Amino acid sequence: VTALDITKEMIEEGRRRYHELTNLAFIEGNVCSFQLRQRDFDFAFIGSTDLHHLHTREAVMEAFASIHKHMRQGGGLGLELWYPTLHSWSSPKRVYRP
């Protein structure tokens, strides 16, 4: 398993928490342009709280292309997506009317 993050602090936190796991690597890099030696990954996953950091369609396409370069033929990409709610998650709850 390889975890990629653009922020040094998140990589350090991952290493601090999970340093005892021998099959887990942490890599600091930009999802739009990372280059790993290994190019035969079976699966990639982007969580819902991560994809929104890519502010343009072009950046999303660059990220997908970068991931694709590292996937084996027939590998999979998992995206955790959700529709925005009509209600806030704040307390007290409010209805947003765009």
Side-chain angles (χ1 to χ4, degrees):
V1 175
T2 301
L4 177 80
D5 199 284
I6 196 166
T7 59
K8 181 180 179 180
E9 295 82 8
M10 288 303 292
I11 295 300
E12 289 172 356
E13 182 67 17
R15 288 180 179 144
R16 185 186 68 77
R17 288 186 187 194
Y18 304 106
H19 64 276
E20 73 281 352
L21 298 176
T22 59
N23 62 343
L24 178 58
F26 292 94
I27 306 292
E28 184 181 342
N30 184 331
V31 70
C32 296
S33 60
F34 70 98
Q35 296 290 326
L36 304 178
R37 279 183 261 134
Q38 184 178 352
R39 296 197 176 245
D40 61 346
F41 285 89
D42 294 317
F43 184 76
F45 177 77
I46 299 176
S48 64
T49 60
D50 297 331
L51 197 57
H52 77 277
H53 290 290
L54 304 174
H55 295 276
T56 65
R57 182 179 187 276
E58 291 77 19
V60 171
M61 297 306 289
E62 287 174 8
F64 289 164
S66 189
I67 291 168
H68 182 262
K69 289 179 194 174
H70 293 81
M71 299 293 290
R72 70 168 173 80
Q73 183 71 25
L77 173 62
L79 299 173
E80 181 183 17
L81 303 174
W82 47 272
Y83 290 106
T85 179
L86 296 176
H87 301 277
S88 76
W89 291 343
S90 60
S91 181
K93 296 219 180 255
R94 300 181 323 191
V95 175
Y96 291 110
R97 302 204 188 278

